[in-house]
Amino acid sequence: GVQCFSHTVNLVVSEALKSQRMVQSLLSTARKLCERVQRSPRAKEKLAELQRAYGLPPHHLLQDVPSRWSTSLHMLERLVEQKRAVNEVSVECGFRELISCDQWEVMRSVCLALKPFDAAGREMSAHASTLSQVIPMIHILNRKIEMLFEETMGIDTMLKSLKEAMVSRLAATLRDPRYILATLLDPRYKASLFSEEEAEQYTRDLIRELEALNPTSDNTPVPNGCDA
């Protein structure tokens, strides 16, 4: 279940990145720029020199694997971190790939938008992740997308795609009894993510499920002497 959720999130993000032409063209420019720096000893040397001059972390630029969006996020984050040095290297080495002010803003916005999905993916692939975290995670990501409309610039098409795909691909998960019951039984969430009516309905469902599993336990006292 958790793996299935992670796979769906990957699809949602990949589709959203492809939905906005400007984002695609930005990724393409970023790729070419990183490749040029990696291939040119002069550009690499210049980058290192500027990193020292501007007190930037001495990091290499990263090349992404286009089929894995998380690597594209890391490539863009590294460029944003090294923006001042990258701009100067591009000019001094006569690169065709110059990133405009607007493109830097869009790049920063794409990083902001992808970060919560990357964090969700890492959390859900951790050994301790459980079914009960799926519904809370969907709620968190949906809230985050709403906030991103205010916090970002130039990626509205991408955000709309994220928002719509979260609904179309994950609405069924929010109604799936396995995820609902796992969330109700988790002491961290219990009924906090459901409306009052939903919580009552799901609790009745849960009791029915438990009775079906253990039909003999009707009025058996529990070990501490209280009624069941």
Side-chain angles (χ1 to χ4, degrees), residues 69 73 114-125 137 141:
W69 64 265
L73 166 64
L114 296 186
K115 224 178 164 74
F117 287 88
D118 187 47
R122 272 196 314 242
E123 192 171 322
M124 297 314 272
S125 58
M137 189 63 81
L141 290 174

Side-chain angles (χ1 to χ4, degrees), residues 29-48:
T29 302
R31 250 169 232 138
K32 286 177 193 154
L33 182 59
C34 292
E35 200 177 334
R36 269 183 201 280
V37 173
Q38 293 302 77
R39 285 183 174 178
S40 160
R42 178 172 165 240
K44 265 179 162 164
E45 204 176 297
K46 188 74 201 157
L47 182 70

